Amino acid sequence: MSRLQPLLFWSIDYAILLFTTLFYRVRYLRKDRVPKQGAVIIVANHQSHLDPPLIGGGILHRQTHYLARVTLFSGFFGKVIRAVNAIPITPGESDMPAIREALTRLGDGKAVVIFAEGARTPDGALKPFKRGTWLLIKKGGCVVVPAAIEGCFDAWPRGQKLPSLLGKRVACAFGEPIESRELIELGADGAICALEERVETLRLELRTMLRSASAGRYPAPGPGDDRAAWLNTPHPQPEPDA
């Protein structure tokens, strides 16, 4: 690793944290749930290109490593995402070299983020998690932290070249850590379902919080409201981390 890499990583992370704070009033919930050291897999939903640095901005106590679509690794953008520890993975295939690299980094005690849907959501709703998530958990044998992102789809939806900078809000929340053995005992399908449920509950909690903070204006109604019954149930309003 280059001696400049940590400087590049933190420079990019802090720059994007400043950007999301200024333009999107970013809010974080329960950042302390991510272990400060040791191997950890962070399983998150995927709404836009803002997601990786948004998660990184929430856990500034350590560097994060990401699995990212191989087509992103070209030109200047490719150099940027390599600087923030991205691992190229081919979507829709059993990309064992990418999984092995992620496992190597876990073996070195790193924090690896996997966007379990495999691609950015096309409409803001959570999509089924890919089986590669299970493979990483089973072979990684480390703590798993569910995470959710909300608002990023509206700020920078799939198919839009540049992010919208006015009137949008974003948020990120981290769930209770789960020991990998607990998920392994559930089997592949059970573990995937359990993680989907936890991430979706966190996402809808954020959606409720953002709506409350914007007097119901944001996020706009849409497929992201699939679990409307949950949204219509009264919940205590969480306080964002300072």
Side-chain angles (χ1 to χ4, degrees):
M1 179 185 295
S2 165
R3 292 182 180 181
L4 291 176
Q5 192 278 336
L7 177 61
L8 286 171
F9 179 91
W10 295 120
S11 296
I12 292 168
D13 238 27
Y14 275 101
I16 295 179
L17 178 60
L18 177 61
F19 172 82
T20 54
T21 300
L22 290 175
F23 288 101
Y24 302 126
R25 306 184 201 179
V26 63
R27 306 176 83 177
Y28 288 100
L29 297 180
R30 310 177 193 103
K31 297 182 287 187
D32 60 338
R33 287 180 170 175
V34 180
K36 289 183 169 55
Q37 58 186 5
V40 58
I41 299 169
I42 300 170
V43 177
N45 62 315
H46 200 7
Q47 294 197 337
S48 87
H49 289 312
L50 293 170
D51 300 347
L54 187 67
I55 288 181
I59 47 176
L60 292 172
H61 53 271
R62 62 185 304 176
Q63 289 195 35
T64 45
H65 299 248
Y66 306 89
L67 287 157
R69 186 161 41 90
V70 68
T71 53
L72 298 174
F73 286 77
S74 61
F76 175 75
F77 187 71
K79 293 179 181 179
V80 171
I81 62 174
R82 285 187 187 278
V84 292
N85 304 319
I87 302 167
I89 186 167
T90 303
E93 298 181 15
S94 180
D95 191 342
M96 288 309 299
I99 295 296
R100 282 195 290 269
E101 177 59 27
L103 290 171
T104 296
R105 298 191 193 189
L106 288 171
D108 291 335
K110 308 298 185 185
V112 172
V113 180
I114 182 167
F115 296 104
E117 294 160 281
R120 289 165 292 160
T121 174
D123 58 11
L126 190 77
K127 303 306 177 188
F129 286 0
K130 301 295 184 182
R131 298 280 288 214
T133 305
W134 161 252
L135 183 60
L136 192 62
I137 292 168
K138 184 179 180 181
K139 293 187 174 296
C142 61
V143 171
V144 178
V145 175
I149 291 158
E150 184 53 62
C152 289
F153 171 76
D154 299 75
W156 196 356
R158 188 171 175 175
Q160 183 173 301
K161 289 186 177 181
L162 295 173
S164 302
L165 299 180
L166 298 176
K168 308 298 182 183
R169 299 190 182 197
V170 301
C172 177
F174 298 95
E176 289 282 0
I178 312 168
E179 293 293 336
S180 59
R181 58 177 173 74
E182 295 179 27
L183 293 169
I184 292 170
E185 287 173 0
L186 295 175
D189 292 339
I192 291 295
C193 286
L195 287 169
E196 285 178 352
E197 177 66 22
R198 293 202 186 195
V199 171
E200 179 70 338
T201 298
L202 287 169
R203 186 188 71 80
L204 291 171
E205 180 182 20
L206 293 176
R207 200 166 177 87
T208 300
M209 182 182 74
L210 291 176
R211 287 243 175 93
S212 177
S214 63
R217 295 188 302 272
Y218 183 82
D225 292 323
D226 278 351
R227 284 175 60 190
W230 193 95
L231 286 171
N232 291 332
T233 301
H235 295 278
Q237 287 302 303
E239 291 295 328
D241 296 337

